[in-house]
Amino acid sequence: MNIGSFDILTAMISDISPVRHIGKVSRLDSGGVYVVGLSRVAGLGELIEVACAKGARVRAEIISMSENTVFALPLKNMAGIIVGDPVRLLPKFRLCPDNSWMGRVIDPFGLALDGRPLLKGTDSVLSDPAPLSATQRRRLGMRLQTGIAIFDTFLPLARGQRIGLFAGSGVGKSMLLGRLARQIDTDVIVMALIGERGREVGDFIERTLGPEGMKRTVMVVATSDQSPLVKRRAAWTAMAVAEYFRDQGKQVLYLADSITRFAEAHREVAIASGEPSTARGFPASTQHMITALCERAGTGVGDFGDITAVFSVLVAGSDMDEPIADIIRGVLDGHVVLSREIAERGRFPAVDIVRSVSRSLPEAAADTENSVLRQARDLLGAYDSAALMIQSGLYERGGDERLDRAVSLNPAFEAFATLVTSESIEHSFERLSKILEPASTTQNDQDAPQAI
């Protein structure tokens, strides 16, 4: 037996407790299980296991406590539990990531979902540690090349930056996340699929992410049919794995799809524990839960690496002011809006450049590049403000020189927005500069773009 195997075996033995704390089920309702006998030894967030009289074992998480009773939500359904069933307090959950987890699919409890044995590391990590010191963190690092022209110019993504991807259903969100995962040059990718449909998990791994992308990815999955406790824990576990690699000095890309389902899962748990709902049904603790997760990502300190994060947000009806979108937009370093209207006319990625912002600018770009971006945004804004007039046929050329130029250049901007390439960031800026040249108003871009 080599030293590494011995260390792993030692860690597994240390998890075995010589003492078992036992309680019993005192009450059941549609919400969860009430247990007596564990109030003085258990804590919030710890797991219990009910030994059903019919032989089944049901695990649950403690979400509220009183002097004599603990209340727990089951991780699966409560079928088979009866009053009086014995309940065992499980050892505290230990997540033990390992470098061999890259290329693997795991559940929020660190168990393999891909049918192969999963090696646990020798050291455990907290699933919800405090974020790094705000005063010691580095500033945002260098720009990351994405291979997507819009992101390499208008919406740069820097090392340690945290952005939100705001989109409704069916506008190419998953496709864009997969493209970013494949193209961005990082050491490790950690992705949390929260509340995803089971059928789409395999499809995302095999087709959207692909074998090359999966090689350096740790996928944490909680499907839509699972308990809100499991879905909520998926985001925490994925972030803890990202922190494990970050602490080794590696550059990590964290992708969460979606933060909305994370918030909805927390809402179910919080309301079940007795917390009143406030804004559109979400309890007051939702804001802290989201911001605490987001603050764990970002730039590192000392020899640590960085966690560059992309959080997807589901916005029904493109409502950017709904509670979750409003909360996360305020804490992140930029927001990217995917437009259903743009997707419906066949342009992918369906990024609404006018309504999207990267807070890494202007520092992330050179002065000449910022000048190009200002000119391009000015023309895009002019076209957007007059779009209804143009579409209704009320626009007449010659009345406004700025709008005339915006209308002339719009086809070139649209073509640029679909560009996916392996060329450098500097080359993407050269393309954008050529569009803005006076001669470009009368000619199309000679380079045929490749759409996502």
Side-chain angles (χ1 to χ4, degrees), residues 395-401 404:
Y395 161 72
E396 291 185 6
R397 189 175 184 83
D400 185 326
E401 183 179 347
D404 289 345

Side-chain angles (χ1 to χ4, degrees), residues 31-33 59-63 71-75 227-229 268-269 272:
V33 183
R59 293 193 172 190
E61 181 178 318
I62 298 172
I63 63 170
F71 176 65
L73 286 181
L75 301 184
S227 161
L229 293 166
E268 291 185 54
V269 175

Side-chain angles (χ1 to χ4, degrees), residues 18-41:
V19 178
R20 290 191 173 190
H21 298 285
I22 305 295
K24 68 176 182 179
V25 177
S26 64
R27 177 185 160 197
L28 291 166
D29 62 24
S30 59
V33 183
Y34 294 83
V35 178
V36 295
L38 297 177
S39 297
R40 299 189 183 277
V41 293

